[in-house]
Amino acid sequence: PETKYHGLYNHGATCYLNSVLQVLFMTEEFREAVIRLTNPSKEHIDHHLRQLFEELSHRTADPYDILRALEVNNVREQQDAAEYFERILRKTSGNAAKIFHGRLSHRTECLNCQTVTDSEGPFWHLPLELEDSPGENYSVENGINMFFTPTIFNGDNQVYCEICDVKVDATRKYVITQHPDVLLLMLKRFDFSYQFMSYIKIHCKADVPHTIRIPEVDQNQTYELYAVVEHFGDLRGGHYHAKIKSKDEGGKWFVFDDSSVTFYHLPGIATPLPKKNLKNSISFIRSHSAYLLFYRRKGEN
Ligand SMILES: [Zn+2]
């Protein structure tokens, strides 16, 4: 066999769930936290995940109990993988789910008195806006830089400052106040179009870098890509699968497509190169279907 990994049965149109379950299984910290749990509570689904992961270590597994626990009634209806990823985490005990948990602040700075106001909250993913401009590739790197670029409020858009007690010029920007161990980026392929007054899917090609750096003044946090959930086809139908890098198989990539798992040849190279060359030879994956990007936090540089 090509790989020691195993697939998941599809119950109709449940590839959206299978793809994120495989990412969770291949996220060692998550898998181990779920398996380690000694006294699982009934309100969480950890015990279902543990059972599934144990089965998945030996053979093709059946996610039926998870589907039931997530209250999926119609298995023939396509759902959003991002939504179900979050649903799983919300129903998982904090010990396992915290790996994906970060904190983000929307920080306002008054340009008059320099007072900084934080509006902070938890996040599971960062959403990146796509633009459907035919012929152009979307750069995730630019998207990240855009996300963290401050917005300036002046003129008619001035904001009220409590200290100055008047409307003032101000900047507002996102700051990660707590970096998650795994950072999930969501490319907003499913978006509402005011032109068509309906939801549409944006099909543009995206350049997904293997390494990203969060542009912050006082920090230099980098993350390394290890999984991509892709969506093929259009809004209401289509198909999901996951490309995932294996930690214990020398950094090889695999495609997890329901019950099938196959070796994935990274584009641009025919055969796997030694590890040290691999890092420098390919800097991104180009894909018109990349939707959820999972990055693992690297040690402080
Ligand atoms: Zn002020």
Side-chain angles (χ1 to χ4, degrees), residues 16-298:
Y16 61 92
L17 187 70
N18 287 350
S19 57
V20 295
L21 284 172
Q22 290 284 15
V23 172
L24 290 172
F25 177 78
M26 295 292 281
T27 307
E28 296 81 2
E29 310 91 311
F30 183 86
R31 182 177 68 213
E32 277 157 23
V34 163
I35 288 174
R36 254 199 326 264
L37 200 74
T38 45
N39 194 12
S41 79
K42 283 276 173 275
E43 58 181 304
H44 293 130
I45 61 165
D46 297 51
H47 57 296
H48 291 307
L49 287 170
R50 179 166 64 186
Q51 205 179 6
L52 183 82
F53 289 172
E54 274 166 2
E55 200 182 343
L56 205 45
S57 312
H58 299 103
R59 57 184 170 273
T60 306
D62 190 341
Y64 184 72
D65 288 341
I66 308 272
L67 284 163
R68 288 203 54 173
L70 295 175
E71 290 157 40
V72 175
N73 295 316
N74 186 355
V75 292
R76 308 220 155 261
E77 203 171 65
Q78 178 80 264
Q79 301 288 347
D80 180 7
E83 186 192 325
Y84 272 78
F85 178 74
E86 199 165 316
R87 268 198 208 194
I88 293 170
L89 292 184
R90 284 187 193 284
K91 283 179 178 272
T92 306
S93 67
N95 233 8
K98 70 174 183 208
I99 292 153
F100 297 94
H101 229 163
R103 291 188 74 80
L104 188 69
S105 174
H106 211 185
R107 180 170 292 173
T108 309
E109 184 180 353
C110 167
L111 294 181
N112 191 34
C113 69
Q114 267 74 48
T115 298
V116 169
T117 319
D118 273 322
S119 162
E120 206 206 26
F123 74 95
W124 297 105
H125 71 259
L126 302 182
L128 300 182
E129 301 280 346
L130 294 184
E131 268 176 61
D132 207 2
S133 36
E136 271 187 53
N137 297 336
Y138 173 81
S139 157
V140 171
E141 209 172 344
N142 289 348
I144 275 283
N145 288 333
M146 287 274 286
F147 186 88
F148 288 99
T149 298
T151 311
I152 296 165
F153 293 89
N154 53 22
D156 289 345
N157 296 321
Q158 279 192 322
V159 296
Y160 175 76
C161 172
E162 279 185 20
I163 308 295
C164 300
D165 197 25
V166 282
K167 283 196 160 188
V168 294
D169 287 0
T171 60
R172 202 167 271 170
K173 64 177 177 183
Y174 284 111
V175 179
I176 295 183
T177 48
Q178 186 193 310
H179 278 272
D181 293 336
V182 172
L183 175 67
L184 170 56
L185 303 181
M186 185 183 82
L187 304 185
K188 290 180 73 181
R189 291 199 180 272
F190 306 104
D191 213 354
F192 191 79
S193 158
Y194 286 94
Q195 189 187 342
F196 300 110
M197 289 311 278
S198 68
Y199 278 91
I200 54 156
K201 186 184 172 193
I202 298 172
H203 291 272
C204 68
K205 272 186 193 162
D207 287 347
V208 180
H210 283 279
T211 306
I212 55 161
R213 197 182 66 80
I214 303 298
E216 288 168 316
V217 183
D218 48 352
Q219 289 179 65
N220 195 16
Q221 187 58 58
T222 54
Y223 284 87
E224 205 162 354
L225 184 72
Y226 76 98
V228 180
V229 169
E230 296 186 298
H231 180 267
F232 303 90
D234 57 27
L235 192 65
R236 313 220 170 266
H239 183 61
Y240 285 100
H241 78 195
K243 289 193 174 110
I244 310 173
K245 185 182 180 178
S246 155
K247 225 177 184 177
D248 44 344
E249 286 216 39
K252 285 183 196 159
W253 285 77
F254 294 92
V255 181
F256 293 80
D257 190 342
D258 289 331
S259 57
S260 133
V261 185
T262 49
F263 178 63
Y264 173 61
H265 294 269
L266 278 174
I269 45 164
T271 49
L273 293 168
K275 224 177 175 180
K276 62 176 164 64
N277 296 336
L278 194 68
K279 207 171 167 186
N280 299 323
S281 59
I282 328 134
S283 55
F284 60 83
I285 293 176
R286 180 167 288 171
S287 163
H288 64 271
S289 31
Y291 176 45
L292 303 177
L293 318 175
F294 294 83
Y295 284 88
R296 193 177 268 116
R297 185 178 179 176
K298 286 175 78 172

